[in-house]
Amino acid sequence: MILISPSNRELFNSARPVAWFAERVITRDDVLKARRRINSYVRHTPLLRAKSLPQPLWLKCEFLQYTGVFKTRGAFNRLLAARDRGELNPSAGVVIASGGNAGLANAYAAATLGVRATVFVPETAPSVKIERIREYGADVQQVGSEYAEASEAAIDYAKRSGALLSHAYDQLEIAAGAGTLAEEILEDEPEIDTIVVAVGGGGLYAGIAAAAEGRAQVVAVEPFTCPTLHAALEAGRPVDVSVSGVAADSLGARRVGEIAFTMASRVPPTSVLVDEDAIVSARLQLWREYRIPAEHGAAAAFAALSSDAYQPARSERVAVVVCGANTDIRTLEPE
């Protein structure tokens, strides 16, 4: 098991303006505002008791969210907040870079609200996600081999077109929207001690950590092949990492977001790394025992428990977030 608790370090460059800090500090207040804003647009997903492991364990079935992924929460929060401020031009719409899931969420939210959506994805994005994004009426542009390249193209498009830029993870409204699922967990089971969540760019982690602060601890799980938060905690700042592996399409950010790093510096999580075999095995276990069609990134959190990378105390009450199911189901029953 690999764990990190960061020591006290100088977190930020003192030359940065006060507004820079404010935009990156997320609190439970932000999450509660997001919940009120998006309540009629998202599902309160089930929290189900699992019995395959010895300790008390619940599965947060966020894969049942509209579009099959938690990112729908943040997408609606971003678009609705921007609309309220008069920042959303329906004809220019919204633009986002995505490995697939954030694009799906924004395409769906935009279609629901009657605005245009443009989604930039890497050329390596799974076809199952690209096809579904197009089904929601979004314009899909494939650029580069990694999320970072698609992100640069999306930023350039926003400058040229006037479209609202929605980030896949590093915007306060995105993270706050994602954090609403933690409010549901602790509302449904107030005695939960620990929430286990997979980390890519860190928006979901940051929102959950803000919502749960002072009420439950957070275990942040990453693949060895995409360790953005883990590397940032070791370095004392967000740093670039190489990205590869089975979960790279959903957890493949090259660098953890500033919001997630700020949150992790304020309330250090337990940081855990899992290997490829553990993720693949956890995904198959979720399917065979619970008929949950998790994508690899969503199975990473469960892998921390099923592989003993994270070992809860006997009485520890643990909720695992199964955050997405946009996967080719034919791969769940290998020959």
Side-chain angles (χ1 to χ4, degrees), residues 4-7 9-11 199-202 205 222 226-241 253-265 269 271 273:
I4 292 179
S5 293
S7 58
R9 297 184 177 103
E10 183 65 30
L11 300 182
V199 179
Y205 154 72
E222 299 171 276
C226 310
T228 58
L229 179 59
H230 196 86
L233 292 175
E234 281 193 324
R237 58 186 174 83
V239 293
D240 285 347
V241 300
R254 191 185 293 171
R255 173 188 290 238
V256 76
E258 297 279 2
I259 293 172
F261 180 69
T262 302
M263 190 70 224
S265 302
S271 177
L273 298 181

Side-chain angles (χ1 to χ4, degrees), residues 28-290:
R28 188 184 177 202
D29 238 16
D30 297 312
V31 177
L32 293 174
K33 287 177 185 175
R35 192 177 189 191
R36 290 191 292 271
R37 185 179 289 127
I38 69 175
N39 186 54
S40 62
Y41 292 93
V42 300
R43 288 177 176 147
H44 183 133
T45 52
L47 184 67
L48 302 181
R49 179 71 184 267
K51 298 181 179 179
S52 61
L53 296 173
Q55 69 275 358
L57 177 69
W58 285 259
L59 300 175
K60 176 59 170 172
C61 299
E62 187 62 12
F63 64 93
L64 294 174
Q65 189 53 259
Y66 295 118
T67 76
V69 68
F70 76 93
K71 288 180 180 288
T72 304
R73 297 172 184 265
F76 270 114
N77 195 41
R78 173 70 174 151
L79 292 181
L80 289 167
R83 188 177 70 177
D84 290 346
R85 293 191 298 265
E87 297 173 0
L88 182 60
N89 178 342
S91 60
V94 61
V95 60
I96 187 164
S98 168
N101 281 334
L104 269 170
N106 277 266
Y108 173 75
T112 302
L113 300 178
V115 301
R116 180 181 178 184
T118 304
V119 180
F120 286 82
V121 299
E123 294 168 358
T124 53
S127 59
V128 65
K129 296 183 180 181
I130 293 174
E131 290 166 8
R132 291 195 61 213
I133 293 170
R134 287 186 171 132
E135 286 173 6
Y136 290 127
D139 177 26
V140 179
Q141 302 287 330
Q142 291 185 265
V143 177
S145 60
E146 291 185 8
Y147 165 79
E149 294 169 279
S151 179
E152 290 175 6
I155 292 169
D156 181 63
Y157 179 88
K159 292 176 180 176
R160 289 186 286 106
S161 68
L164 178 75
L165 182 65
S166 184
H167 199 279
Y169 53 88
D170 202 23
Q171 283 174 331
L172 189 144
E173 288 158 356
I174 295 293
T180 60
L181 71 82
E183 289 294 330
E184 293 176 5
I185 289 172
L186 294 172
E187 180 179 287
D188 292 345
E189 286 289 342
E191 301 305 313
I192 292 290
D193 300 301
T194 303
I195 300 175
V196 182
V197 59
V199 179
L204 176 59
Y205 154 72
I208 286 176
E213 186 173 0
R215 300 192 291 164
Q217 67 168 330
V218 178
V219 175
V221 184
E222 299 171 276
F224 276 99
T225 54
C226 310
T228 58
L229 179 59
H230 196 86
L233 292 175
E234 281 193 324
R237 58 186 174 83
V239 293
D240 285 347
V241 300
S242 59
V243 170
S244 63
V246 295
D249 66 305
S250 55
L251 303 181
R254 191 185 293 171
R255 173 188 290 238
V256 76
E258 297 279 2
I259 293 172
F261 180 69
T262 302
M263 190 70 224
S265 302
R266 188 169 88 229
V267 185
T270 297
S271 177
V272 177
L273 298 181
V274 291
D275 62 30
E276 298 276 284
D277 288 344
I279 294 171
V280 170
S281 177
R283 179 172 176 261
L284 292 176
Q285 185 178 349
L286 285 169
W287 175 247
R288 289 171 178 167
E289 295 189 14
Y290 304 106

